[in-house]
Amino acid sequence: MSKPVPTAKSDTRAEALIASFEHAGYLRVTPALLQPAEPFLDLSGENIRKRMFLTTDPQGRELCLRPDLTIPVSRDYLASPMARQPQGFCYLGTIFRDRREEPAEFLQAGIESFARTDKAAADADMVALGLKATAHYGVTAPDIRMGDVSLFSALVAGLDLAPAWRRRLIKDFNRKSSLAHDLEQLNHSSARAEYQGVLAALANSDPKAAHALVTDLLSIAGISAVGGRSVGEIADRFLEQATLGGETTLPQEKRKLIERFLAIAGDPHGAAAALHKFAKETALKLDPAIDLLTQRTSLLAARGVDVTRIHFSTAFGRGLDYYTGMVFEIHDPEDHANGELVAGGRYDGLLTRLGSPVPIPAVGFAVWIERLADCGQGPAYGGVP
């Protein structure tokens, strides 16, 4: 028999945690349970469709029970009078996502911070507040994992790659199996010879028209899905090959350069030193991203975080397309929890993709309440340390 899912009001420890976030200056918000599905599918990838709970309104628009709270909070912020102004929000609410053996309905807390231009300080605040959440539940010496998507983006920008490959590598950075596949493809022609004529014909066509044509052809052929991928996903993949065209090979030394970069890891100070050495030896312009890492590390230390306990890796990502900078996860060192306890990062491009006419810096994190409750020994009712 499954255990009952706690509500925000019934979980006194979670309420105390949110009260501490409010005390720190974050406004508590409660986004609607029912959300338009399109932003989640566009920004988190079609993969999430299999885990979402979907319905359709009378006008035929696809809706879903919110599978996370970052996108709903971001949408509400953009629709508010505070849009484009520095503002931080906190939340505690139920989200809905199929998780196989675990309950599909579960409680999540978190913070989203918008329009702060002091990015290193905002990043450090998120990590420090995330550690405060784990300490509140008695997990006082967690494992801290950290990476930075902007470092990988700077690396890719400095390489002599086709624009389509640059976009592809950055998009797949958070998906380790996809990135490994990309690196392999960079050394081998990826399209079968019999498709080359079709791919060449599609290479310079209008993207929407080409997508419609390929989708129609697949449907006429009676193909509805292959390997769990929908017709739309198959069409996307085919058109991606057309965009890449003949530029699907890369010298072995370039692949080795990327793999060498992705092997850099250690505490943040050590990683920064290794990155400076790598940049000097390769003449790649990584200094702005490395300087941001160094500044963030100093600010974390100033907030009382033992930065020698942070494991920083240039290969670390979080599996969501919209991250653009620092990413982190906090784990139970005893491995009692099935996954991360706290996780988040910087997503400066998200609000533009949600309709903002100007870029708005953004960073935040989510707290898995049920996992913390299972592994922590914190106060049952009291305040946050």
Side-chain angles (χ1 to χ4, degrees):
M1 181 176 172
S2 61
K3 60 184 179 181
V5 177
T7 64
K9 290 183 179 179
S10 69
D11 192 321
T12 53
R13 278 192 296 183
E15 282 292 336
L17 177 64
I18 294 303
S20 75
F21 291 163
E22 289 183 278
H23 184 71
Y26 296 89
L27 178 67
R28 184 168 182 174
V29 292
T30 308
L33 288 174
L34 201 60
Q35 295 282 329
E38 184 178 8
F40 297 96
L41 298 174
D42 286 349
L43 297 166
S44 302
E46 277 287 333
N47 238 4
I48 200 172
R49 179 183 287 275
K50 302 169 187 174
R51 298 183 286 145
M52 288 167 57
F53 294 91
L54 296 159
T55 187
T56 306
D57 70 8
Q59 287 74 43
R61 292 171 298 196
E62 207 167 22
L63 304 174
C64 66
L65 290 173
R66 59 191 188 199
D68 82 1
L69 281 155
T70 297
I71 290 175
V73 172
S74 299
R75 292 181 67 248
D76 288 352
Y77 165 72
L78 284 178
S80 75
M82 292 178 284
R84 305 193 205 180
Q85 300 174 28
Q87 181 64 57
F89 301 97
C90 63
Y91 52 81
L92 175 65
T94 307
I95 63 173
F96 305 85
R97 195 186 305 166
D98 180 64
R99 301 185 298 166
R100 297 184 180 178
E101 303 300 320
E102 298 179 276
E105 178 182 346
F106 55 104
L107 202 58
Q108 199 167 80
I111 286 177
E112 312 298 341
S113 176
F114 303 114
R116 282 184 61 175
T117 55
D118 53 342
K119 293 185 180 182
D123 289 353
D125 284 345
M126 295 303 106
V127 177
L129 286 165
L131 288 168
K132 187 176 186 180
T134 59
H136 175 54
Y137 280 82
V139 183
T140 55
D143 290 335
I144 310 167
R145 305 170 192 178
M146 187 178 291
D148 195 327
V149 182
S150 68
L151 278 165
F152 184 72
S153 298
L155 169 75
V156 171
L159 298 175
D160 183 20
L161 293 172
W165 268 118
R166 291 179 184 175
R167 292 192 298 270
R168 169 77 173 272
L169 286 169
I170 292 169
K171 181 180 179 181
D172 284 353
F173 174 73
N174 286 306
R175 301 179 177 89
K176 292 301 171 289
S177 59
S178 295
L179 182 58
H181 178 67
D182 289 347
L183 292 176
E184 185 63 31
Q185 269 194 298
L186 285 167
N187 293 277
H188 305 284
S189 179
S190 57
R192 289 165 56 181
E194 60 264 36
Y195 297 155
Q196 291 294 346
V198 179
L199 293 175
L202 291 171
N204 298 310
S205 59
D206 174 72
K208 289 186 178 179
H211 190 280
L213 173 62
V214 175
T215 302
D216 287 347
L217 289 173
L218 290 169
S219 299
I220 291 169
I223 298 171
S224 59
V226 177
R229 290 187 293 174
S230 68
V231 167
E233 290 174 299
I234 297 168
D236 286 340
R237 177 68 174 156
F238 198 76
L239 291 171
E240 185 178 71
Q241 294 300 319
T243 302
L244 294 173
E247 298 181 89
T248 54
T249 59
L250 189 75
Q252 183 73 11
E253 61 268 18
K254 199 147 290 186
R255 176 185 173 183
K256 287 184 176 179
L257 192 69
I258 297 173
E259 291 175 337
R260 180 183 162 195
F261 170 86
L262 293 173
I264 295 173
D267 68 72
H269 288 304
L275 282 163
H276 275 300
K277 180 181 178 183
F278 174 85
K280 184 177 181 180
E281 292 174 353
T282 59
L284 290 167
K285 296 179 180 179
L286 304 179
D287 283 352
I290 300 172
D291 291 345
L292 187 62
L293 164 62
T294 302
Q295 187 182 0
R296 183 191 308 126
T297 303
S298 297
L299 290 166
L300 279 167
R303 285 158 174 74
V305 176
D306 181 359
V307 296
T308 63
R309 297 189 60 254
I310 297 174
H311 180 76
F312 184 93
S313 170
T314 52
F316 180 73
R318 290 233 52 247
L320 290 169
D321 292 347
Y322 53 71
Y323 283 117
T324 58
M326 181 270 299
V327 287
F328 74 99
E329 291 181 356
I330 303 175
H331 289 254
D332 174 25
E334 302 297 327
D335 213 20
H336 293 139
N338 183 24
E340 62 270 25
L341 305 176
V342 177
R346 175 160 294 280
Y347 49 95
D348 288 348
L350 176 62
L351 278 83
T352 305
R353 294 171 69 181
L354 287 172
S356 172
V358 296
I360 300 175
V363 64
F365 66 88
V367 181
W368 275 258
I369 297 297
E370 60 172 21
R371 295 175 185 172
L372 277 168
D374 286 344
C375 69
Q377 302 296 322
Y381 302 100
V384 181

